[in-house]
Amino acid sequence: MRSENGRAATTAIAARLCIEAASVTGMLKKLAELHLIEYVPYQGAQLTHTGEKIALEVIRHHRLIELYLIETMGFSWDQVHAEADRLEHAISEEFEDRIAQMLGDPTTDPHGDPIPTKSGEVAATSRNTLETARTGQSLRIERVRDEDPAVLRRAAELGLRPHALITVRDALTGTRMCITFTDGACRDVEAAVAASVFVVAV
């Protein structure tokens, strides 16, 4: 979503959020007035130091809540993103600390995304998706995009969860690819799912 100048383009933000560009522009101006972003008309926006600190705090809340909902309340991994969206701004810092302590200070959420530390540090992640993998590659699934519940349900059906080890039997051709797991099980993976699964070589 970042342009060549390192800023997030207004049109890209609008497309990602499925809202009008004019609405995005209005909100960016308000955030700039609060010194949370640096906004340049027609060039986009980027977070200030203060804005980045707040953003990482919200991400930490979100990912801890996702894990809490699964570990203690029995939610499935395709349900928790929407719930965490509603709750991430509502919890206090004390509540956040207690969740983290109860969960053993986890480093990743249920989908494999890193949980920022209390001090605002966040681990680097792979940008390589399964759809770009080559035939014969051995891979470890690092994380799965959590925005689309249908994709998460299908990934779970296929066994494509963080830490799973796979080998690409046939690279993506057209709409699907074929992979094998360490137990020898073979699976056909649709392109839409492969594009949402991030992997690292092993």
Side-chain angles (χ1 to χ4, degrees):
M1 193 163 67
R2 287 180 180 272
S3 61
E4 292 182 0
N5 61 14
R7 298 175 183 271
T10 302
T11 52
I13 296 172
R16 180 68 180 268
L17 298 177
C18 299
I19 59 177
E20 295 295 326
S23 298
V24 172
T25 298
M27 184 54 67
L28 292 178
K29 289 179 178 178
K30 291 179 181 178
L31 292 173
E33 290 173 1
L34 295 171
H35 306 291
L36 298 178
I37 64 169
E38 294 176 355
Y39 172 61
V40 179
Y42 308 109
Q43 294 186 34
Q46 63 183 15
L47 291 168
T48 62
H49 176 73
T50 300
E52 183 174 356
K53 182 178 179 181
I54 292 174
L56 287 171
E57 184 177 315
V58 173
I59 291 171
R60 176 173 168 82
H61 287 183
H62 182 100
R63 294 176 180 174
L64 283 170
I65 289 169
E66 286 187 333
L67 190 57
Y68 176 79
L69 290 173
I70 286 179
E71 294 291 331
T72 67
M73 302 187 71
F75 280 78
S76 60
W77 81 333
D78 58 288
Q79 297 174 313
V80 294
H81 181 71
E83 291 293 337
D85 273 346
R86 288 187 278 269
L87 295 170
E88 62 191 20
H89 297 285
I91 67 172
S92 67
E93 295 307 297
E94 181 180 359
F95 192 78
E96 170 210 312
D97 291 342
R98 293 197 179 196
I99 288 179
Q101 184 178 19
M102 185 184 69
L103 296 173
D105 291 318
T107 57
T108 58
D109 75 2
H111 311 103
D113 288 308
I115 297 174
T117 65
K118 187 73 174 175
S119 61
E121 297 174 353
V122 60
T125 56
S126 172
R127 297 292 181 182
N128 300 320
T129 58
L130 181 56
E131 68 174 340
T132 64
R134 302 184 305 276
T135 297
Q137 273 193 297
S138 295
L139 305 166
R140 175 176 58 81
I141 296 173
E142 182 183 65
R143 57 195 176 96
V144 182
R145 283 198 180 98
D146 60 3
E147 293 92 348
D148 189 333
V151 168
L152 284 172
R153 286 192 291 272
R154 181 56 179 156
E157 290 172 0
L158 294 169
L160 298 174
R161 290 183 178 270
H163 310 300
L165 299 175
I166 60 173
T167 299
V168 179
R169 183 173 178 179
D170 293 303
L172 183 66
T173 303
T175 60
R176 60 185 59 242
M177 65 190 303
C178 182
I179 63 170
T180 59
F181 288 82
T182 53
D183 63 0
C186 297
R187 297 283 189 276
D188 284 333
V189 182
E190 298 86 351
V193 176
S196 295
V197 176
F198 292 86
V199 296
V200 293
V202 295

